[in-house]
mmCIF file with all atom_site columns, all heavy atoms in Angstrom:
data_model
loop_
_atom_site.group_PDB
_atom_site.id
_atom_site.type_symbol
_atom_site.label_atom_id
_atom_site.label_alt_id
_atom_site.label_comp_id
_atom_site.label_asym_id
_atom_site.label_entity_id
_atom_site.label_seq_id
_atom_site.pdbx_PDB_ins_code
_atom_site.Cartn_x
_atom_site.Cartn_y
_atom_site.Cartn_z
_atom_site.occupancy
_atom_site.B_iso_or_equiv
_atom_site.pdbx_formal_charge
_atom_site.auth_seq_id
_atom_site.auth_comp_id
_atom_site.auth_asym_id
_atom_site.auth_atom_id
_atom_site.pdbx_PDB_model_num
ATOM 1   N N   . ARG A 1 111 ? 137.231 71.513 108.675 1.00 0.00 ? 111 ARG A N   1
ATOM 2   C CA  . ARG A 1 111 ? 136.193 72.078 109.513 1.00 0.00 ? 111 ARG A CA  1
ATOM 3   C C   . ARG A 1 111 ? 134.895 72.185 108.702 1.00 0.00 ? 111 ARG A C   1
ATOM 4   O O   . ARG A 1 111 ? 134.947 72.439 107.488 1.00 0.00 ? 111 ARG A O   1
ATOM 5   C CB  . ARG A 1 111 ? 136.586 73.474 110.022 1.00 0.00 ? 111 ARG A CB  1
ATOM 6   C CG  . ARG A 1 111 ? 137.719 73.474 111.035 1.00 0.00 ? 111 ARG A CG  1
ATOM 7   C CD  . ARG A 1 111 ? 137.296 72.851 112.356 1.00 0.00 ? 111 ARG A CD  1
ATOM 8   N NE  . ARG A 1 111 ? 138.301 72.993 113.398 1.00 0.00 ? 111 ARG A NE  1
ATOM 9   C CZ  . ARG A 1 111 ? 139.234 72.084 113.673 1.00 0.00 ? 111 ARG A CZ  1
ATOM 10  N NH1 . ARG A 1 111 ? 139.298 70.963 112.948 1.00 0.00 ? 111 ARG A NH1 1
ATOM 11  N NH2 . ARG A 1 111 ? 140.095 72.277 114.647 1.00 0.00 ? 111 ARG A NH2 1
ATOM 12  N N   . PRO A 1 112 ? 133.730 72.007 109.351 1.00 0.00 ? 112 PRO A N   1
ATOM 13  C CA  . PRO A 1 112 ? 132.456 72.126 108.625 1.00 0.00 ? 112 PRO A CA  1
ATOM 14  C C   . PRO A 1 112 ? 132.054 73.583 108.385 1.00 0.00 ? 112 PRO A C   1
ATOM 15  O O   . PRO A 1 112 ? 131.023 73.850 107.776 1.00 0.00 ? 112 PRO A O   1
ATOM 16  C CB  . PRO A 1 112 ? 131.467 71.427 109.551 1.00 0.00 ? 112 PRO A CB  1
ATOM 17  C CG  . PRO A 1 112 ? 132.047 71.608 110.921 1.00 0.00 ? 112 PRO A CG  1
ATOM 18  C CD  . PRO A 1 112 ? 133.541 71.562 110.741 1.00 0.00 ? 112 PRO A CD  1
ATOM 19  N N   . TYR A 1 113 ? 132.855 74.509 108.871 1.00 0.00 ? 113 TYR A N   1
ATOM 20  C CA  . TYR A 1 113 ? 132.608 75.936 108.707 1.00 0.00 ? 113 TYR A CA  1
ATOM 21  C C   . TYR A 1 113 ? 133.903 76.582 108.214 1.00 0.00 ? 113 TYR A C   1
ATOM 22  O O   . TYR A 1 113 ? 134.986 75.984 108.281 1.00 0.00 ? 113 TYR A O   1
ATOM 23  C CB  . TYR A 1 113 ? 132.188 76.573 110.039 1.00 0.00 ? 113 TYR A CB  1
ATOM 24  C CG  . TYR A 1 113 ? 133.027 76.113 111.212 1.00 0.00 ? 113 TYR A CG  1
ATOM 25  C CD1 . TYR A 1 113 ? 134.267 76.690 111.477 1.00 0.00 ? 113 TYR A CD1 1
ATOM 26  C CD2 . TYR A 1 113 ? 132.591 75.065 112.014 1.00 0.00 ? 113 TYR A CD2 1
ATOM 27  C CE1 . TYR A 1 113 ? 135.045 76.251 112.527 1.00 0.00 ? 113 TYR A CE1 1
ATOM 28  C CE2 . TYR A 1 113 ? 133.369 74.615 113.074 1.00 0.00 ? 113 TYR A CE2 1
ATOM 29  C CZ  . TYR A 1 113 ? 134.596 75.208 113.332 1.00 0.00 ? 113 TYR A CZ  1
ATOM 30  O OH  . TYR A 1 113 ? 135.366 74.756 114.363 1.00 0.00 ? 113 TYR A OH  1
ATOM 31  N N   . ALA A 1 114 ? 133.788 77.804 107.728 1.00 0.00 ? 114 ALA A N   1
ATOM 32  C CA  . ALA A 1 114 ? 134.963 78.491 107.197 1.00 0.00 ? 114 ALA A CA  1
ATOM 33  C C   . ALA A 1 114 ? 135.689 79.255 108.290 1.00 0.00 ? 114 ALA A C   1
ATOM 34  O O   . ALA A 1 114 ? 135.060 79.892 109.140 1.00 0.00 ? 114 ALA A O   1
ATOM 35  C CB  . ALA A 1 114 ? 134.552 79.450 106.083 1.00 0.00 ? 114 ALA A CB  1
ATOM 36  N N   . LEU A 1 115 ? 136.998 79.205 108.267 1.00 0.00 ? 115 LEU A N   1
ATOM 37  C CA  . LEU A 1 115 ? 137.849 80.051 109.096 1.00 0.00 ? 115 LEU A CA  1
ATOM 38  C C   . LEU A 1 115 ? 138.556 81.033 108.177 1.00 0.00 ? 115 LEU A C   1
ATOM 39  O O   . LEU A 1 115 ? 138.906 80.704 107.042 1.00 0.00 ? 115 LEU A O   1
ATOM 40  C CB  . LEU A 1 115 ? 138.866 79.208 109.874 1.00 0.00 ? 115 LEU A CB  1
ATOM 41  C CG  . LEU A 1 115 ? 138.276 78.321 110.975 1.00 0.00 ? 115 LEU A CG  1
ATOM 42  C CD1 . LEU A 1 115 ? 139.333 77.377 111.527 1.00 0.00 ? 115 LEU A CD1 1
ATOM 43  C CD2 . LEU A 1 115 ? 137.694 79.169 112.091 1.00 0.00 ? 115 LEU A CD2 1
ATOM 44  N N   . ARG A 1 116 ? 138.775 82.232 108.679 1.00 0.00 ? 116 ARG A N   1
ATOM 45  C CA  . ARG A 1 116 ? 139.288 83.319 107.841 1.00 0.00 ? 116 ARG A CA  1
ATOM 46  C C   . ARG A 1 116 ? 140.788 83.523 108.067 1.00 0.00 ? 116 ARG A C   1
ATOM 47  O O   . ARG A 1 116 ? 141.257 83.581 109.210 1.00 0.00 ? 116 ARG A O   1
ATOM 48  C CB  . ARG A 1 116 ? 138.518 84.606 108.127 1.00 0.00 ? 116 ARG A CB  1
ATOM 49  C CG  . ARG A 1 116 ? 138.921 85.793 107.284 1.00 0.00 ? 116 ARG A CG  1
ATOM 50  C CD  . ARG A 1 116 ? 137.819 86.830 107.247 1.00 0.00 ? 116 ARG A CD  1
ATOM 51  N NE  . ARG A 1 116 ? 136.673 86.348 106.452 1.00 0.00 ? 116 ARG A NE  1
ATOM 52  C CZ  . ARG A 1 116 ? 135.598 87.078 106.197 1.00 0.00 ? 116 ARG A CZ  1
ATOM 53  N NH1 . ARG A 1 116 ? 135.507 88.301 106.684 1.00 0.00 ? 116 ARG A NH1 1
ATOM 54  N NH2 . ARG A 1 116 ? 134.623 86.587 105.461 1.00 0.00 ? 116 ARG A NH2 1
ATOM 55  N N   . TYR A 1 117 ? 141.518 83.638 106.958 1.00 0.00 ? 117 TYR A N   1
ATOM 56  C CA  . TYR A 1 117 ? 142.964 83.854 107.001 1.00 0.00 ? 117 TYR A CA  1
ATOM 57  C C   . TYR A 1 117 ? 143.316 85.022 106.087 1.00 0.00 ? 117 TYR A C   1
ATOM 58  O O   . TYR A 1 117 ? 142.680 85.242 105.052 1.00 0.00 ? 117 TYR A O   1
ATOM 59  C CB  . TYR A 1 117 ? 143.725 82.602 106.527 1.00 0.00 ? 117 TYR A CB  1
ATOM 60  C CG  . TYR A 1 117 ? 143.409 81.369 107.333 1.00 0.00 ? 117 TYR A CG  1
ATOM 61  C CD1 . TYR A 1 117 ? 142.393 80.505 106.939 1.00 0.00 ? 117 TYR A CD1 1
ATOM 62  C CD2 . TYR A 1 117 ? 144.107 81.074 108.508 1.00 0.00 ? 117 TYR A CD2 1
ATOM 63  C CE1 . TYR A 1 117 ? 142.085 79.374 107.681 1.00 0.00 ? 117 TYR A CE1 1
ATOM 64  C CE2 . TYR A 1 117 ? 143.801 79.951 109.252 1.00 0.00 ? 117 TYR A CE2 1
ATOM 65  C CZ  . TYR A 1 117 ? 142.790 79.101 108.839 1.00 0.00 ? 117 TYR A CZ  1
ATOM 66  O OH  . TYR A 1 117 ? 142.477 77.993 109.570 1.00 0.00 ? 117 TYR A OH  1
ATOM 67  N N   . GLU A 1 168 ? 137.491 73.577 100.467 1.00 0.00 ? 168 GLU A N   1
ATOM 68  C CA  . GLU A 1 168 ? 136.757 74.739 99.947  1.00 0.00 ? 168 GLU A CA  1
ATOM 69  C C   . GLU A 1 168 ? 137.484 76.028 100.332 1.00 0.00 ? 168 GLU A C   1
ATOM 70  O O   . GLU A 1 168 ? 137.791 76.248 101.507 1.00 0.00 ? 168 GLU A O   1
ATOM 71  C CB  . GLU A 1 168 ? 135.335 74.766 100.503 1.00 0.00 ? 168 GLU A CB  1
ATOM 72  C CG  . GLU A 1 168 ? 134.465 73.598 100.072 1.00 0.00 ? 168 GLU A CG  1
ATOM 73  C CD  . GLU A 1 168 ? 133.061 73.708 100.641 1.00 0.00 ? 168 GLU A CD  1
ATOM 74  O OE1 . GLU A 1 168 ? 132.463 74.799 100.568 1.00 0.00 ? 168 GLU A OE1 1
ATOM 75  O OE2 . GLU A 1 168 ? 132.575 72.696 101.173 1.00 0.00 ? 168 GLU A OE2 1
ATOM 76  N N   . ASP A 1 199 ? 138.413 82.693 103.052 1.00 0.00 ? 199 ASP A N   1
ATOM 77  C CA  . ASP A 1 199 ? 137.635 81.825 103.927 1.00 0.00 ? 199 ASP A CA  1
ATOM 78  C C   . ASP A 1 199 ? 137.893 80.386 103.502 1.00 0.00 ? 199 ASP A C   1
ATOM 79  O O   . ASP A 1 199 ? 137.664 80.017 102.335 1.00 0.00 ? 199 ASP A O   1
ATOM 80  C CB  . ASP A 1 199 ? 136.142 82.142 103.822 1.00 0.00 ? 199 ASP A CB  1
ATOM 81  C CG  . ASP A 1 199 ? 135.749 83.354 104.656 1.00 0.00 ? 199 ASP A CG  1
ATOM 82  O OD1 . ASP A 1 199 ? 136.622 83.892 105.362 1.00 0.00 ? 199 ASP A OD1 1
ATOM 83  O OD2 . ASP A 1 199 ? 134.573 83.761 104.593 1.00 0.00 ? 199 ASP A OD2 1
ATOM 84  N N   . VAL A 1 200 ? 138.394 79.585 104.446 1.00 0.00 ? 200 VAL A N   1
ATOM 85  C CA  . VAL A 1 200 ? 138.795 78.206 104.142 1.00 0.00 ? 200 VAL A CA  1
ATOM 86  C C   . VAL A 1 200 ? 138.137 77.269 105.148 1.00 0.00 ? 200 VAL A C   1
ATOM 87  O O   . VAL A 1 200 ? 138.139 77.546 106.348 1.00 0.00 ? 200 VAL A O   1
ATOM 88  C CB  . VAL A 1 200 ? 140.337 78.053 104.221 1.00 0.00 ? 200 VAL A CB  1
ATOM 89  C CG1 . VAL A 1 200 ? 140.757 76.696 103.688 1.00 0.00 ? 200 VAL A CG1 1
ATOM 90  C CG2 . VAL A 1 200 ? 141.043 79.168 103.457 1.00 0.00 ? 200 VAL A CG2 1
ATOM 91  N N   . HIS A 1 201 ? 137.597 76.169 104.650 1.00 0.00 ? 201 HIS A N   1
ATOM 92  C CA  . HIS A 1 201 ? 136.979 75.186 105.528 1.00 0.00 ? 201 HIS A CA  1
ATOM 93  C C   . HIS A 1 201 ? 138.044 74.269 106.127 1.00 0.00 ? 201 HIS A C   1
ATOM 94  O O   . HIS A 1 201 ? 138.044 73.049 105.922 1.00 0.00 ? 201 HIS A O   1
ATOM 95  C CB  . HIS A 1 201 ? 135.931 74.374 104.759 1.00 0.00 ? 201 HIS A CB  1
ATOM 96  C CG  . HIS A 1 201 ? 134.658 75.127 104.545 1.00 0.00 ? 201 HIS A CG  1
ATOM 97  N ND1 . HIS A 1 201 ? 133.491 74.858 105.230 1.00 0.00 ? 201 HIS A ND1 1
ATOM 98  C CD2 . HIS A 1 201 ? 134.370 76.184 103.751 1.00 0.00 ? 201 HIS A CD2 1
ATOM 99  C CE1 . HIS A 1 201 ? 132.543 75.692 104.857 1.00 0.00 ? 201 HIS A CE1 1
ATOM 100 N NE2 . HIS A 1 201 ? 133.056 76.513 103.951 1.00 0.00 ? 201 HIS A NE2 1
ATOM 101 N N   . ALA A 1 202 ? 138.964 74.889 106.864 1.00 0.00 ? 202 ALA A N   1
ATOM 102 C CA  . ALA A 1 202 ? 140.058 74.138 107.475 1.00 0.00 ? 202 ALA A CA  1
ATOM 103 C C   . ALA A 1 202 ? 140.697 74.965 108.573 1.00 0.00 ? 202 ALA A C   1
ATOM 104 O O   . ALA A 1 202 ? 140.674 76.203 108.542 1.00 0.00 ? 202 ALA A O   1
ATOM 105 C CB  . ALA A 1 202 ? 141.113 73.756 106.434 1.00 0.00 ? 202 ALA A CB  1
#
Side-chain angles (χ1 to χ4, degrees):
R111 291 291 187 267
Y113 44 82
L115 291 171
R116 182 159 289 184
Y117 302 92
E168 296 181 46
D199 279 356
V200 189
H201 283 253

